[in-house]
Amino acid sequence: MVRWQPDAHGRLQQAAMELYVERGFDQVTVADIAERAGLTERTFFRYFADKREVLFAGSSALQDRLVASVAAAPADLAPLDVLALAFDDVATGFFGEGLQHARARQSVVDSHSGLQERELIKMAAIASTLADALRRRRVQEPAASLAAESAVAAFRIAFARWVSGDAGERLAPVMSESFAALRTIAGGR
Amino acid sequence: MVRWQPDAHGRLQQAAMELYVERGFDQVTVADIAERAGLTERTFFRYFADKREVLFAGSSALQDRLVASVAAAPADLAPLDVLALAFDDVATGFFGEGLQHARARQSVVDSHSGLQERELIKMAAIASTLADALRRRRVQEPAASLAAESAVAAFRIAFARWVSGDAGERLAPVMSESFAALRTIAGGR
């Protein structure tokens, strides 16, 4: 059977995700992943530090893209508008067509407390990096940290609704709703 | 030398904190803590699951108090006002006179990535419990989760400022400022 073969990185990711869903994260070894991908363990370790990082490889790319958006946003925008723009960009550009992958990944993360904790730590790091990016735009503390933390919360909540499957195929409108709700709350309504 | 002896729980906490500050968390054993407190290891384990939990014993009491405040808040308050009231109550009642203890504890947590992660997880649990408490007040999603996550962020940021020592002796005014700043992030000030 001939099937389309993505690059080694993509093949490893796909093999890992299949195996995690089939067997559960703890029951899968790096050797299993390499074998399923038709590659060696050595190749695996050229791309990923360990089997957990296969699930979190996207998060530094996500962070970089958000930081770039914040830096490029028009100068006169309010902090939360800057962040809403950045998350809207990743909703369409980064997660545009990935609902199926995002759902598979989330089911793996949700079934394992160590992975849930890792996700929490990655999100906290993104919030802290976004607060830095806002401070470079001369947003003062505590507004910079508060805006960054609240925006990451809005993102996480939108993402969870999206992968739950009852909010449609596209992340962008769910993300907009989540930021709109955040504005309502901050405004005291 | 006669000194005031608090109850066993308090003596163990005090001994643990002294040792963590003196030697670093990883260099302290339960046996060390028990010895310093003049108690047995068996007594230690009657109060705490492990040496890490000594640092986090307060967080479930904090959570319970916040949840009770949310349940008791006037029915017509907006979600963020309900939470601001709950955090104002703990700022005065729970952390009222504890700056010195809070600073010692924070220096221990900040010096150890495993403890920082534990803190993050405890805060996430508090946010999730507060979202439940808001839903019991008929606050809808995603507003309940967004308000809870944002309020916990406001608390964490205020707390960090307070223990840094340049915000005065009392947590309550720092907490008020943090909640006020949260209300302005959407408006661009």
Side-chain angles (χ1 to χ4, degrees), chain B:
Chain B
M1 194 181 89
V2 177
R3 64 171 187 176
W4 177 73
Q5 291 283 355
D7 61 304
H9 184 274
R11 273 157 69 191
L12 288 162
Q13 273 192 313
Q14 186 180 311
M17 197 66 74
E18 285 171 16
L19 289 163
Y20 295 160
V21 169
E22 285 166 28
R23 303 182 193 169
F25 179 78
D26 283 335
Q27 274 65 56
V28 176
T29 65
V30 168
D32 296 333
I33 298 168
E35 192 194 346
R36 174 76 61 104
L39 294 166
T40 63
E41 286 189 61
R42 199 170 152 180
T43 303
F44 178 94
F45 288 115
R46 209 174 296 149
Y47 292 99
F48 303 103
D50 54 42
K51 67 172 185 164
R52 192 178 67 172
E53 282 312 300
V54 183
L55 294 164
F56 295 99
S59 97
S60 61
L62 172 64
Q63 180 171 300
D64 292 347
R65 185 157 174 159
L66 289 166
V67 168
S69 277
V70 168
D76 57 342
L77 285 186
L80 197 60
D81 295 326
V82 170
L83 296 170
L85 208 62
F87 279 103
D88 181 64
D89 166 65
V90 297
T92 47
F94 196 84
F95 298 107
E97 314 206 317
L99 179 55
Q100 207 186 345
H101 171 85
R103 295 184 74 166
R105 180 187 172 284
Q106 201 64 42
S107 74
V108 174
V109 171
D110 286 349
S111 65
H112 192 287
S113 66
L115 297 175
Q116 286 171 40
E117 294 178 11
R118 187 77 196 147
E119 182 105 303
L120 210 53
I121 291 157
K122 292 274 183 180
M123 286 294 127
I126 289 178
S128 158
T129 308
L130 288 175
D132 288 343
L134 286 176
R135 284 192 295 269
R136 283 195 294 275
R137 294 174 60 93
R138 314 243 175 274
V139 178
Q140 304 292 308
E141 283 300 335
S145 292
L146 278 164
E149 296 277 354
S150 304
V152 168
F155 165 70
R156 284 198 289 112
I157 289 160
F159 200 84
R161 275 192 65 208
W162 181 56
V163 297
S164 78
D166 35 68
E169 280 293 311
R170 292 175 53 234
L171 175 57
V174 193
M175 190 90 87
S176 297
E177 274 180 53
S178 191
F179 275 86
L182 178 56
R183 289 170 206 283
T184 62
I185 56 170
R189 289 171 297 277

Side-chain angles (χ1 to χ4, degrees), chain A residues 69-134:
Chain A
S69 277
V70 168
D76 56 343
L77 286 186
L80 198 59
D81 294 327
V82 170
L83 295 170
L85 210 61
F87 279 103
D88 181 63
D89 166 64
V90 298
T92 46
F94 196 83
F95 296 107
E97 315 207 319
L99 179 55
Q100 207 186 344
H101 172 85
R103 294 185 74 166
R105 180 186 171 284
Q106 202 63 41
S107 75
V108 174
V109 171
D110 287 348
S111 65
H112 192 287
S113 67
L115 296 174
Q116 287 170 37
E117 292 178 12
R118 187 77 196 147
E119 181 105 303
L120 211 52
I121 291 158
K122 292 274 181 179
M123 286 294 127
I126 289 178
S128 158
T129 308
L130 288 175
D132 288 342
L134 286 176

